[in-house]
Amino acid sequence: MNVSTRLRVPALGALALAAAALVAPLAGHAQNYPITPDQRATAQQVASRGVPLSELSSTAPDTYVVKRGDTLWAISGMYLQRPWRWPELWGMNLQAIPNPHLIYPGQTLYLEKVDGYARLRTTPGGASGDTETVRVSPRTRTDSLAGTALPTLQPHLIEPFLVEPLIVDELTLSQTPRIVATVDERVLMANGDRAYVRGPAGRPLRLDPGVPRQYRVFRSAVPMKDPETGEILGYEAQYVAKAELVRGESTEETRTPKGGATLDVVPATIDLSGAKEEVRFGDRLLPAPERGYVSYTPRAPQSPVDARVVSIYGGSAVAYAAQNQVVTINRGTRDGMEPGLVLTVLTKGERVVDKTDEDRATIKLPSEANGTAMVFRTFDRISYVLLLQVQQGVRVGDRLVNPQ
């Protein structure tokens, strides 16, 4: 029987809450995100009126039915000339930005234009009530609406980076469990192989309640140097494989021919899978990270940003990054970076010889806008950024600034 279930979800732009949300700085973030009175007043205005009509794309539809496969960034670009102004069109207050009202396949978006401004709603203009009805077909297995919400970006572009690269301090990997042997003493291991692991001194890897069973195998943390100062900002551990802990570390008493006994260490046992390259003796284990939140809102930073590209993900041999590739920048959570922040990529102005000058003076060309990027994973001093649109290759040392 084809029956529909009605679910009540919050409507967009809860204006009655917007003013209250803006009275005080966001708890726990005031120090990282100072908000001036002017910024607060502007946020209050856009939460109630939207964006100027001049900011709309010339092809912005009056109504649009969200489809599976859509992304928040694509829809932002469909409506706006500058997609990072999405929170203003959506009518979000400052507290709503990190955890936005979500969009689901099947919803209809209505573009409302009033007094020279535009706002996006999920109910037609003038509709009463503060909720909308979303119809979902019943299933034997129920899923939450959050599981069907649109991702910000195409998942395959960033999902591997949400769990694979890891920024650690200098000592972290040296104090983690290490692979010490294999079943048949092979030097290299691959998917399906079994290996043996020992924990650091005094902390054997045991299969106790509460101890993780899923791990990631990492190798040789690479120093990440600030291209401006040369300071080491952290170490990027290279992801190698997944590992499941099947038996914990223990000890075993062995009798000697002379009637004595020795206490032998029996390493923990792991099974390998998802290998990107061969696993080796000495590779390290860290608990598998939790899956990152990938349905954040594209938006401009609240404070000035001036970052530099630290590295191009994929190895030191890669000189230039192209569209849909990932780079790291020398700004992290302590600098106010958050997933969803959109930045403009600038070229690194070249130093050239002025051939029209008799003295052949060296001059520096200005930096030019090269495209757009979005922060999607952050650590203390480093962030991972996806290049959304670039006109030419991006290299180490290129700048990223507030969107222009």
Side-chain angles (χ1 to χ4, degrees):
M1 181 172 61
N2 186 14
V3 182
S4 293
T5 301
R6 289 174 178 260
L7 297 178
R8 305 293 281 178
V9 299
L12 304 178
L15 303 183
L17 299 178
L22 292 163
V23 170
L26 183 60
H29 291 267
Q31 186 174 7
N32 290 337
Y33 306 101
I35 299 171
T36 67
D38 288 343
Q39 289 174 326
R40 194 178 309 283
T42 299
Q44 287 175 317
Q45 288 178 338
V46 299
S48 61
R49 71 183 183 185
V51 298
L53 294 180
S54 59
E55 287 290 335
L56 291 179
S57 167
S58 60
T59 58
D62 290 329
T63 60
Y64 179 74
V65 179
V66 180
K67 304 185 299 292
R68 292 192 180 276
D70 281 341
T71 64
L72 187 56
W73 178 254
I75 292 179
S76 301
M78 179 172 60
Y79 277 98
L80 293 167
Q81 297 181 35
R82 297 187 290 176
W84 55 87
R85 296 195 67 174
W86 178 254
E88 301 171 36
L89 180 67
W90 200 235
M92 292 179 187
N93 59 61
L94 294 181
Q95 278 193 332
I97 287 177
N99 185 21
H101 298 289
L102 301 176
I103 308 175
Y104 310 96
Q107 281 181 314
T108 300
L109 305 181
Y110 298 90
L111 186 61
E112 180 183 75
K113 302 174 184 178
V114 178
D115 297 330
Y117 288 86
R119 284 198 57 195
L120 204 59
R121 300 181 178 275
T122 55
T123 54
S128 61
D130 60 353
T131 61
E132 67 162 321
T133 299
V134 178
R135 292 182 178 272
V136 294
S137 298
R139 300 178 182 178
T140 302
R141 175 183 171 184
T142 58
D143 296 321
S144 69
L145 281 176
T148 64
L150 293 192
T152 305
L153 305 166
Q154 290 292 347
H156 72 275
L157 295 177
I158 62 172
E159 279 186 344
F161 299 96
L162 296 177
V163 295
E164 290 187 4
L166 185 69
I167 302 298
V168 296
D169 58 43
E170 189 172 5
L171 298 177
T172 295
L173 282 188
S174 65
Q175 298 175 348
T176 57
R178 65 192 185 281
I179 296 177
V180 297
T182 61
V183 173
D184 51 8
E185 299 185 358
R186 278 183 293 171
V187 176
L188 301 177
M189 295 152 271
N191 290 335
D193 287 345
R194 176 159 285 191
Y196 302 111
V197 178
R198 291 192 65 188
R203 287 187 293 156
L205 182 59
R206 301 192 187 281
L207 193 58
D208 296 329
V211 173
R213 296 196 59 170
Q214 303 300 322
Y215 287 81
R216 298 290 185 266
V217 181
F218 292 94
R219 177 181 302 145
S220 60
V222 177
M224 308 288 279
K225 294 184 178 180
D226 190 308
E228 292 186 293
T229 66
E231 180 186 5
I232 295 178
L233 305 174
Y235 292 79
E236 184 182 67
Q238 301 174 28
Y239 169 86
V240 178
K242 299 177 183 177
E244 180 180 4
L245 179 63
V246 296
R247 185 167 50 241
E249 199 170 342
S250 62
T251 57
E252 185 176 292
E253 186 176 83
T254 303
R255 307 298 297 181
T256 65
K258 295 182 178 181
T262 60
L263 194 63
D264 296 321
V265 173
V266 179
T269 302
I270 60 170
D271 287 336
L272 299 171
S273 64
K276 294 189 69 174
E277 56 184 279
E278 291 86 355
V279 180
R280 306 172 185 171
F281 295 134
D283 286 347
R284 301 282 179 165
L285 268 65
L286 285 168
E290 294 182 2
R291 181 183 177 87
Y293 180 56
V294 297
S295 192
Y296 34 78
T297 306
R299 63 196 187 277
Q302 290 289 324
S303 55
V305 175
D306 189 359
R308 297 294 187 278
V309 175
V310 173
S311 68
I312 299 169
Y313 193 80
S316 57
V318 180
Y320 292 90
Q323 188 165 308
N324 293 333
Q325 284 190 266
V326 170
V327 300
T328 57
I329 61 173
N330 62 344
R331 298 290 183 268
T333 52
R334 78 175 196 176
D335 307 297
M337 293 294 99
E338 279 191 330
L341 293 184
V342 177
L343 303 171
T344 289
V345 183
L346 303 178
T347 59
K348 184 179 180 181
E350 296 282 1
R351 284 184 166 81
V352 299
V353 174
D354 181 0
K355 296 180 180 180
T356 67
D357 185 350
E358 293 181 358
D359 297 328
R360 292 293 193 268
T362 299
I363 57 177
K364 184 179 183 300
L365 300 180
S367 297
E368 299 286 355
N370 185 29
T372 306
M374 184 186 294
V375 177
F376 68 89
R377 192 179 185 199
T378 57
F379 293 89
D380 185 38
R381 305 180 68 187
I382 287 176
S383 296
Y384 284 83
V385 176
L386 178 68
L387 301 176
L388 298 171
Q389 300 160 324
V390 291
Q391 300 169 12
Q392 60 188 67
V394 176
R395 56 184 174 170
V396 171
D398 282 357
R399 294 176 64 197
L400 289 93
V401 298
N402 295 64
Q404 302 174 353

Coordinates of all heavy atoms in Angstrom, one line a residue, residues 309-350:
V309 N 49.1 28.7 1.0 CA 49.1 27.3 0.7 C 50.4 26.7 1.2 O 51.5 27.1 0.9 CB 49.0 27.0 -0.8 CG1 49.1 25.5 -1.1 CG2 47.6 27.6 -1.4
V310 N 50.2 25.7 2.1 CA 51.3 25.0 2.7 C 51.8 23.8 1.8 O 53.0 23.6 1.6 CB 51.0 24.5 4.1 CG1 52.1 23.6 4.7 CG2 50.7 25.7 5.0
S311 N 50.8 23.0 1.3 CA 51.2 21.8 0.6 C 50.0 21.5 -0.3 O 48.9 21.9 -0.1 CB 51.5 20.7 1.5 OG 50.3 20.2 2.2
I312 N 50.3 20.7 -1.3 CA 49.3 20.1 -2.2 C 49.2 18.6 -1.9 O 50.2 17.9 -1.9 CB 49.7 20.3 -3.7 CG1 49.9 21.8 -4.0 CG2 48.7 19.6 -4.6 CD1 50.5 22.1 -5.3
Y313 N 48.0 18.2 -1.6 CA 47.8 16.8 -1.1 C 48.0 15.9 -2.3 O 47.5 16.1 -3.4 CB 46.4 16.6 -0.6 CG 46.3 15.3 0.2 CD1 46.8 15.1 1.5 CD2 45.8 14.1 -0.4 CE1 46.7 13.9 2.1 CE2 45.7 12.9 0.2 CZ 46.2 12.8 1.5 OH 46.1 11.6 2.2
G314 N 48.9 14.9 -2.1 CA 49.2 13.9 -3.1 C 50.7 13.7 -3.3 O 51.1 12.9 -4.2
G315 N 51.5 14.4 -2.5 CA 52.9 14.1 -2.6 C 53.7 15.4 -3.0 O 53.2 16.3 -3.6
S316 N 55.0 15.3 -2.6 CA 55.9 16.5 -2.9 C 56.2 16.7 -4.4 O 56.6 17.7 -4.8 CB 57.2 16.3 -2.1 OG 57.8 15.1 -2.5
A317 N 55.9 15.6 -5.2 CA 56.2 15.7 -6.6 C 55.2 16.5 -7.4 O 55.4 16.9 -8.5 CB 56.3 14.3 -7.2
V318 N 54.0 16.8 -6.7 CA 53.0 17.6 -7.4 C 53.3 19.1 -7.2 O 53.3 19.6 -6.1 CB 51.6 17.2 -6.8 CG1 50.5 18.0 -7.5 CG2 51.3 15.7 -6.9
A319 N 53.5 19.8 -8.3 CA 53.8 21.2 -8.3 C 52.6 22.1 -8.3 O 52.7 23.2 -7.7 CB 54.8 21.5 -9.4
Y320 N 51.6 21.7 -9.0 CA 50.4 22.5 -9.1 C 49.1 21.7 -8.8 O 49.0 20.6 -9.2 CB 50.3 23.1 -10.6 CG 51.4 24.1 -10.9 CD1 52.6 23.7 -11.5 CD2 51.2 25.4 -10.7 CE1 53.6 24.6 -11.8 CE2 52.2 26.4 -11.0 CZ 53.4 25.9 -11.5 OH 54.3 26.8 -11.8
A321 N 48.2 22.4 -8.1 CA 46.9 21.8 -7.9 C 45.9 22.4 -8.8 O 45.9 23.6 -9.1 CB 46.5 22.0 -6.4
A322 N 45.0 21.5 -9.3 CA 43.9 22.0 -10.2 C 42.6 22.0 -9.5 O 42.5 21.6 -8.3 CB 43.9 21.0 -11.4
Q323 N 41.5 22.3 -10.2 CA 40.2 22.3 -9.7 C 39.8 20.9 -9.2 O 40.2 19.9 -9.7 CB 39.2 22.7 -10.8 CG 37.8 22.9 -10.4 CD 36.9 23.6 -11.4 OE1 37.3 24.6 -11.9 NE2 35.8 23.0 -11.8
N324 N 39.1 20.9 -8.0 CA 38.7 19.7 -7.3 C 39.8 19.0 -6.6 O 39.6 17.9 -6.1 CB 37.9 18.7 -8.2 CG 36.6 19.3 -8.7 OD1 36.0 20.1 -8.0 ND2 36.1 18.8 -9.8
Q325 N 41.0 19.6 -6.5 CA 42.1 19.0 -5.7 C 42.1 19.7 -4.4 O 41.4 20.7 -4.1 CB 43.4 19.2 -6.4 CG 43.6 18.2 -7.6 CD 45.0 18.2 -8.1 OE1 45.4 18.9 -9.1 NE2 45.9 17.5 -7.5
V326 N 42.9 19.1 -3.5 CA 42.9 19.5 -2.1 C 44.3 20.1 -1.8 O 45.3 19.6 -2.1 CB 42.6 18.4 -1.1 CG1 42.9 18.8 0.3 CG2 41.1 18.0 -1.3
V327 N 44.3 21.2 -1.1 CA 45.5 21.8 -0.5 C 45.4 22.1 0.9 O 44.3 22.1 1.5 CB 45.9 23.2 -1.3 CG1 46.1 22.9 -2.8 CG2 44.8 24.2 -1.0
T328 N 46.5 22.3 1.6 CA 46.5 22.7 3.0 C 46.9 24.2 3.1 O 47.7 24.6 2.3 CB 47.4 21.8 3.9 OG1 48.7 21.9 3.4 CG2 46.9 20.4 3.9
I329 N 46.4 24.9 4.1 CA 46.7 26.3 4.3 C 47.2 26.4 5.8 O 46.9 25.6 6.6 CB 45.5 27.2 4.1 CG1 44.4 26.9 5.0 CG2 45.1 27.1 2.6 CD1 43.2 27.9 4.9
N330 N 47.9 27.5 6.0 CA 48.6 27.8 7.3 C 47.7 28.5 8.3 O 48.1 29.4 9.0 CB 49.9 28.6 7.1 CG 49.7 29.9 6.5 OD1 48.6 30.2 5.9 ND2 50.7 30.8 6.5
R331 N 46.4 28.2 8.2 CA 45.5 28.7 9.2 C 44.5 27.6 9.7 O 44.1 26.8 8.9 CB 44.6 29.9 8.6 CG 45.4 31.1 8.2 CD 45.9 31.9 9.3 NE 46.6 33.1 8.9 CZ 47.9 33.2 8.6 NH1 48.7 32.1 8.7 NH2 48.5 34.3 8.2
G332 N 44.3 27.6 11.0 CA 43.5 26.5 11.5 C 42.4 27.0 12.5 O 42.0 28.2 12.5
T333 N 41.9 26.1 13.4 CA 40.8 26.5 14.3 C 41.2 27.7 15.2 O 40.4 28.5 15.5 CB 40.4 25.3 15.2 OG1 41.6 24.8 15.8 CG2 39.8 24.2 14.3
R334 N 42.5 27.8 15.6 CA 42.9 28.9 16.4 C 42.9 30.2 15.7 O 42.9 31.3 16.3 CB 44.2 28.6 17.1 CG 45.4 28.8 16.2 CD 46.7 28.6 17.0 NE 47.9 29.2 16.3 CZ 49.1 29.2 16.9 NH1 49.3 28.7 18.1 NH2 50.1 29.7 16.2
D335 N 42.8 30.1 14.4 CA 42.7 31.4 13.5 C 41.3 31.6 13.1 O 41.1 32.5 12.2 CB 43.7 31.2 12.3 CG 45.1 30.8 12.7 OD1 45.7 31.7 13.4 OD2 45.5 29.8 12.3
G336 N 40.3 30.8 13.5 CA 39.0 31.1 13.2 C 38.5 30.3 12.0 O 37.4 30.5 11.5
M337 N 39.3 29.3 11.5 CA 38.8 28.5 10.4 C 37.8 27.5 10.8 O 37.9 26.9 11.9 CB 40.0 27.8 9.8 CG 41.1 28.6 9.1 SD 40.4 29.5 7.6 CE 40.0 31.1 8.3
E338 N 36.8 27.3 10.0 CA 35.7 26.4 10.2 C 35.3 25.8 8.9 O 35.4 26.4 7.8 CB 34.5 27.1 10.8 CG 34.6 27.3 12.3 CD 33.2 27.7 12.9 OE1 32.4 28.4 12.1 OE2 32.9 27.4 14.0
P339 N 34.8 24.5 8.9 CA 34.3 23.9 7.6 C 33.1 24.8 7.1 O 32.3 25.3 7.8 CB 33.7 22.6 8.1 CG 34.6 22.2 9.3 CD 34.8 23.5 10.0
G340 N 33.2 25.0 5.8 CA 32.2 25.8 5.1 C 32.7 27.2 4.7 O 32.0 27.9 3.9
L341 N 33.8 27.7 5.3 CA 34.2 29.0 5.0 C 34.8 29.0 3.5 O 35.5 28.2 3.1 CB 35.3 29.5 5.9 CG 34.9 29.7 7.4 CD1 36.1 30.2 8.2 CD2 33.7 30.7 7.5
V342 N 34.3 30.0 2.8 CA 34.7 30.2 1.4 C 35.8 31.3 1.3 O 35.7 32.3 1.9 CB 33.5 30.6 0.5 CG1 34.0 30.8 -1.0 CG2 32.5 29.4 0.6
L343 N 36.9 31.0 0.5 CA 38.0 31.9 0.3 C 38.3 32.1 -1.1 O 38.0 31.2 -2.0 CB 39.2 31.4 1.0 CG 39.1 31.1 2.5 CD1 40.3 30.3 3.0 CD2 38.9 32.3 3.3
T344 N 38.9 33.3 -1.4 CA 39.3 33.5 -2.8 C 40.8 33.2 -2.9 O 41.6 33.5 -2.0 CB 39.2 35.0 -3.2 OG1 37.8 35.3 -3.3 CG2 39.9 35.4 -4.5
V345 N 41.2 32.4 -4.0 CA 42.5 32.0 -4.2 C 43.2 33.1 -5.1 O 42.7 33.5 -6.1 CB 42.6 30.7 -4.9 CG1 44.1 30.2 -5.1 CG2 41.8 29.6 -4.1
L346 N 44.4 33.6 -4.6 CA 45.1 34.5 -5.4 C 46.4 33.9 -5.9 O 47.0 33.1 -5.2 CB 45.5 35.8 -4.5 CG 44.3 36.5 -3.9 CD1 44.9 37.6 -3.0 CD2 43.4 37.1 -4.9
T347 N 46.8 34.3 -7.1 CA 48.1 33.8 -7.6 C 49.2 34.5 -6.8 O 49.1 35.5 -6.2 CB 48.3 34.2 -9.1 OG1 48.2 35.7 -9.2 CG2 47.2 33.6 -10.0
K348 N 50.4 33.8 -6.8 CA 51.6 34.4 -6.1 C 52.3 35.3 -7.1 O 52.8 34.8 -8.1 CB 52.5 33.2 -5.7 CG 53.7 33.7 -4.9 CD 54.5 32.5 -4.5 CE 55.7 32.9 -3.7 NZ 56.6 31.7 -3.3
G349 N 52.2 36.6 -6.9 CA 52.8 37.5 -7.8 C 54.3 37.2 -8.1 O 55.1 37.1 -7.1
E350 N 54.6 37.1 -9.3 CA 56.0 36.7 -9.7 C 56.9 38.0 -9.6 O 56.5 39.1 -9.8 CB 56.1 36.2 -11.1 CG 55.3 34.9 -11.3 CD 56.1 33.7 -10.8 OE1 57.2 33.9 -10.3 OE2 55.6 32.6 -11.0

